[in-house]
Amino acid sequence: MGKFRCPGCEYTYDEDRGDAHEGYPPGTSFESLPEDFTCPDCAVRYKEDFEPVED
Amino acid sequence: MSTTYVLDHPEKGHIEYSDRKRYLWMSSLFMPLFPMMGVAAYFLFDTQWALALPLLFSYVLIPVLDYLLGSDENNPPEEIVPQLEDDRYYRWLTWLTVPMHFIVLIAIAWFVGTQDLTVWSVLVLAITAGSYSGLGINTAHELGHKKPEFERLLAKIVLAVPTYGHFCIEHNRGHHRDVATPEDPASSRMGESIYKFVWREIPGAWRRGWAVEKERLARLGKSEWSIHNDILQSYAISAVLQGGLILAFGWIMLPFLAIHNFWAWFQLTSANYIEHYGLKRDKEPNGRYERCQPHHSWNANYIFSNIVLFHLERHSDHHANPTRRYQSLRNFDGLPELPNGYYGMYLLAYIPWLWYKVMDKRLLALPHINGDLSKVNIDPDRYDEITARYGAGPGAVAAA
Ligand SMILES: [Zn+2]
């Protein structure tokens, strides 16, 4: 499973962990997040702006 | 004694920066003196006229000081920003203001509840307390944008003072997403007076905030009417605080708190009104709005009101980097710029014909608009009137 980072504020969505506060349980793929998903921290970046993170 | 941040940058070489405003930021700790100054002067001079002093400070002295002290050239280099962000001194200043908002409201409520005052004095005190609680919304704004859970909690707590617990959710997730579009209830339109805007802004913000929170709770499988609702948590603190004041000081608290709350909200309305007046993001072929650009916010770089408002007036950088801390926000040349600080501009906004006279030309003269009304967020009710007046395209503005 991968990680996806907001290029504006560095918020990182980790598919393994999900985002409990936002209501995305562990294992929720980035792909399956809603189309109108915006960065939960800055709201400036849309879903398509997120960049995959290489570990 | 000043702190110098140093960095040896691989390409740019040795960089040194010290924040000339470092100690000025401590002013936030003294702000409660202003709402309390009227009460102190009342006891000192034994006249209710003294109660008007804080309002003179906000609406006369601040604009004059902005004019006299002028703008602020202090701009941290981008490379130094991480160090500046990590300096915990700046955080403490925002954290410490949180209890002060409770203390000031309780103190002024006590004064109203125990002294024999005229109706006018109660009104002035409610507005004074409301102004300071409006500043509390500004502190919540600074705190609520930050990533640490603790700061978001403080934001929720301080928002309880003016009963505006939905603000951070609505602002971070709604306003920042929709800013400078016709869909945003917190972005004002050309030709829309503040008295019309307020009826769109306050209910619209409440509805959007609630909707965003309801959607989050639905994903969690929880009811909007549960203790997990961040908005209700803040309202619960409001109920204890304001309910307690009504129990302690009686019926007089009802009009006092109503006016206090409204005035605090109206401070935010005023800021929202001037921050994006008439500015509009383009729609891209995929149906999304273009990302918020620096020219989608009005800025003011006056030193004095920026100190009072935690750099809120450096608004373009805030929208580009919403999680950035106040001490790191930068000013850039060539941004839409207001002719005075926020407090002076609020006064102008309260006199709509004068506001239009000053701002409409300024708006249409912005380089990215250059008289092209299709690039302006216009009040639909006044669309015909405005196009009739300015509709001749680029160049028409200068002639109008
Ligand atoms: Zn982000």
Side-chain angles (χ1 to χ4, degrees):
Chain A
M1 301 216 98
K3 293 179 185 170
F4 295 82
R5 182 160 57 210
C6 167
C9 78
E10 320 239 297
Y11 167 86
T12 303
Y13 182 80
D14 181 341
E15 292 182 324
D16 281 329
R17 302 176 55 190
D19 185 323
H21 185 262
E22 289 301 311
Y24 304 119
T28 308
S29 70
F30 187 74
E31 182 66 35
S32 68
L33 296 180
E35 271 323 292
D36 62 357
F37 174 87
T38 50
C39 174
D41 277 349
C42 73
V44 175
R45 303 299 179 122
Y46 297 117
K47 187 177 173 185
E48 63 264 29
D49 297 326
F50 274 63
E51 295 164 348
V53 184
E54 321 290 332
D55 313 82
Chain B
M1 191 185 72
S2 88
T3 308
T4 305
Y5 307 95
V6 202
L7 180 77
D8 285 303
H9 194 269
E11 282 130 45
K12 300 193 175 164
H14 189 72
I15 303 174
E16 260 189 42
Y17 174 75
S18 61
D19 177 8
R20 282 188 280 164
K21 287 201 294 263
R22 185 177 177 87
Y23 296 105
L24 280 178
W25 289 121
M26 267 194 223
S27 316
S28 61
L29 303 181
F30 299 99
M31 284 300 151
L33 294 177
F34 292 101
M36 300 313 295
M37 153 175 92
V39 173
Y42 164 83
F43 287 121
L44 208 61
F45 302 117
D46 201 24
T47 164
Q48 296 194 27
W49 285 101
L51 297 171
L53 275 176
L55 293 180
L56 281 176
F57 172 77
S58 295
Y59 295 110
V60 180
L61 194 65
I62 297 182
V64 168
L65 284 175
D66 270 345
Y67 177 75
L68 293 177
L69 299 177
S71 71
D72 164 23
E73 301 310 323
N74 207 42
N75 238 6
E78 189 60 36
E79 295 76 13
I80 294 291
V81 165
Q83 291 186 45
L84 202 54
E85 298 260 306
D86 283 342
D87 189 334
R88 297 184 78 78
Y89 160 79
Y90 294 99
R91 293 178 202 194
W92 275 102
L93 294 181
T94 49
W95 299 351
L96 286 171
T97 62
V98 172
M100 293 183 186
H101 287 282
F102 286 81
I103 294 168
V104 167
L105 178 61
I106 293 169
I108 295 182
W110 164 82
F111 182 77
V112 168
T114 54
Q115 303 295 308
D116 189 19
L117 300 168
T118 65
V119 171
W120 288 106
S121 295
V122 174
L123 180 68
V124 165
L125 285 160
I127 290 177
T128 301
S131 298
Y132 186 62
S133 296
L135 215 50
I137 299 180
N138 184 61
T139 304
H141 173 256
E142 172 65 24
L143 291 165
H145 269 300
K146 300 294 146 336
K147 295 176 184 240
E149 218 33 64
F150 174 66
E151 296 189 286
R152 293 184 184 184
L153 173 68
L154 284 180
K156 206 154 50 176
I157 292 172
V158 73
L159 282 177
V161 178
T163 57
Y164 223 54
H166 56 284
F167 170 71
C168 281
I169 294 171
E170 128 63 19
H171 176 87
N172 295 11
R173 307 301 294 277
H175 173 65
H176 273 265
R177 183 191 64 203
D178 301 337
V179 62
T181 67
E183 286 81 4
D184 184 22
S187 298
S188 65
R189 301 163 176 163
M190 181 185 186
E192 182 180 41
S193 77
I194 191 168
Y195 304 109
K196 184 177 180 191
F197 174 67
V198 64
W199 294 109
R200 191 163 70 84
E201 191 248 7
I202 293 180
W206 188 85
R207 274 198 296 268
R208 185 169 58 185
W210 189 267
V212 168
E213 183 63 353
K214 187 178 168 182
E215 208 177 293
R216 180 182 77 88
L217 290 165
R219 282 196 299 265
L220 285 164
K222 302 210 163 96
S223 158
E224 62 202 284
W225 302 107
S226 71
I227 54 159
H228 305 284
N229 184 324
D230 281 333
I231 298 176
L232 291 181
Q233 290 171 9
S234 184
Y235 288 168
I237 305 172
S238 303
V240 172
L241 172 66
Q242 300 206 349
L245 291 174
I246 294 166
L247 286 180
F249 303 120
W251 66 268
I252 187 71
M253 284 295 110
L254 292 173
F256 170 78
L257 290 171
I259 296 165
H260 158 270
N261 292 343
F262 177 76
W263 197 256
W265 306 349
F266 192 62
Q267 296 297 293
L268 174 67
T269 301
S270 305
N272 277 330
Y273 183 74
I274 68 173
E275 279 164 351
H276 308 282
Y277 177 76
L279 301 172
K280 190 168 87 176
R281 285 152 68 194
D282 280 336
K283 231 178 193 158
E284 292 184 334
N286 66 3
R288 304 267 212 216
Y289 284 102
E290 64 175 317
R291 189 179 308 145
C292 181
Q293 304 290 322
H295 59 254
H296 294 129
S297 304
W298 290 97
N299 292 265
N301 199 30
Y302 294 90
I303 189 159
F304 195 80
S305 50
N306 260 310
I307 289 287
V308 175
L309 292 170
F310 287 129
H311 260 166
L312 183 67
E313 303 181 353
R314 288 185 166 181
H315 209 63
S316 289
D317 200 18
H318 167 65
H319 271 276
N321 303 291
T323 60
R324 182 165 286 202
R325 291 176 183 275
Y326 68 97
Q327 70 269 24
S328 318
L329 291 172
R330 295 151 309 156
N331 179 61
F332 299 100
D333 290 334
L335 296 176
E337 201 154 332
L338 297 167
N340 194 279
Y342 276 19
Y343 285 87
M345 295 312 290
Y346 294 169
L347 282 184
L348 201 62
Y350 301 157
I351 311 167
W353 66 269
L354 199 57
W355 170 266
Y356 301 141
K357 200 171 155 64
V358 172
M359 289 302 295
D360 286 356
K361 282 184 186 177
R362 218 169 241 268
L363 171 67
L364 296 175
L366 290 172
H368 76 283
I369 293 176
N370 190 25
D372 181 352
L373 287 175
S374 72
K375 297 195 152 63
V376 179
N377 186 6
I378 300 174
D379 181 354
D381 296 340
R382 295 197 56 203
Y383 186 81
D384 293 341
E385 191 189 327
I386 287 171
T387 45
R389 181 160 180 199
Y390 294 111
V397 186

